[in-house]
Each structure stands twice: as structure tokens, then as C-alpha cells.
Amino acid sequence: YVLKGREISAMNDDELAQIRNKEIGFIFQTFNLLPRADAVQNVELPLVYSGLARKERKARAEKALDAVGLGSRKHHRPNEMSGGQRQRVAIARALVNDPSILLADEPTGNLDSKTGEEILALMDDLHHGGNTIILVTHEDELAQHASRVVRLRDGKIVSDVRNHPVVG
């Protein structure tokens, strides 16, 4: 595929790592937060690999946390937060490098239904703000929030349908 005019299959490992760090934000079902690090430190992590100075990393991480509604929880560790707050930290971490694409793997899978709806509303806001989001799910209800639904079976596309998304 081509991303921002660059043929990805022609890249070496270092170039691919740079693409993953700067152009793709990952949101995991299990959050993948460092337990001993606070929210700011967790969000800063991709920026460490970008080579940004500490002051700039911290400022960008705090801005990303503010953007997901966690300004008051910046210095809390994951075990001091609810599942929804931990997922918001994970989303802030995915957004901190201003990526071209957000990849979300079952982003509501470990959350109760009310918190899941809050995360979906946040993702709707991000999409309406211009972010491209590729969301992987097994839940039809969650897929109905997407403007396009591509169904796979055994690694092959079985349908690709434009959708009229349900908005939070």
C-alpha cells in the first residue's frame, strides 16, 4: 500500500519502524500501559522514540490527555484509574504523534457498556475531527458506527459496504 505517497512494501525495517511510530497510532483492547508510569509518562512513550526533548514530550502528552478528557488524571498510574480512563490514556498515546491512521483493536472489548459508549463517542469525535480510524471488531453493533464496513473471513474480504454510521 501507499501511505502519504510512500510505497510501504519497498521500505526497510528502520523505515517501517518510523512509519509505525509517526504515522500509525495503535489502540489496544488491553490498553498496554506501563503500570509504574503515570498517564503523562505512558502517553510520552512514542515521543521518546521520536527523539523529542523531554519538555516538548511532556507538553504534547499533556495536550493529548486534555484532548481525551483526562486533564485532571495526568499524574495517576493505571491502577488508580477506571478501565475507561485507562483506554483514554491509550487513545491519547495513539494520538500524541498526530498519526495519519489510528488502528483500534476491539477498543471497547474490556469495558462495560456505558464506558464503551463513551469511548465510541470519543472515537466519533476524533473521526469528525479528521482522524482516519480503522477499527477491528467482532461486534456488529460496534461496526455500525463506521462509515465503511469491511468483513473478513479466513483472511479474505467477503464484503465491503458503505454504511450510514450510527452516531454516539
Side-chain angles (χ1 to χ4, degrees):
Y1 64 93
V2 175
L3 179 63
K4 287 190 146 181
R6 297 178 67 194
E7 178 64 44
I8 302 302
S9 64
M11 292 183 172
N12 65 37
D13 288 345
D14 289 340
E15 291 170 319
L16 289 170
Q18 187 176 22
I19 289 290
R20 283 190 294 270
N21 180 260
K22 293 186 189 269
E23 298 296 341
I24 303 172
F26 295 92
I27 303 169
F28 302 97
Q29 178 179 359
T30 56
F31 319 128
N32 289 353
L33 301 177
L34 301 174
R36 291 190 204 109
D38 68 18
V40 170
Q41 292 165 327
N42 268 290
V43 174
E44 276 183 302
L45 194 57
L47 299 174
V48 170
Y49 298 108
S50 295
L52 283 181
R54 181 159 177 68
K55 185 177 179 181
E56 176 68 15
R57 288 194 317 253
K58 184 175 185 208
R60 286 179 59 180
E62 288 181 354
K63 182 179 176 188
L65 286 163
D66 289 339
V68 298
L70 280 182
S72 65
R73 308 288 290 178
K74 292 176 186 172
H75 300 293
H76 289 78
R77 292 194 169 127
N79 69 343
E80 300 170 322
M81 292 185 248
S82 69
Q85 290 169 333
R86 287 189 294 244
Q87 190 60 295
R88 287 176 185 272
V89 172
I91 292 169
R93 182 187 55 206
L95 290 169
V96 77
N97 265 334
D98 193 26
S100 302
I101 300 169
L102 290 174
L103 290 180
D105 181 15
E106 296 281 4
T108 61
N110 282 335
L111 305 173
D112 61 72
S113 59
K114 180 181 181 296
T115 305
E117 289 173 15
E118 291 171 2
I119 295 301
L120 278 179
L122 174 59
M123 294 188 83
D124 283 342
D125 290 345
L126 293 170
H127 175 70
H128 292 297
N131 290 90
T132 298
I133 301 172
I134 299 172
L135 190 144
V136 176
T137 186
H138 292 91
E139 298 179 40
D140 282 335
E141 187 177 327
L142 190 56
Q144 295 313 307
H145 285 262
S147 58
R148 181 177 174 190
V149 177
V150 179
R151 295 186 190 280
L152 303 173
R153 175 165 287 135
D154 299 328
K156 299 206 180 332
I157 295 173
V158 294
S159 69
D160 184 349
V161 178
R162 294 279 175 200
N163 195 22
H164 299 288
V166 174
V167 179

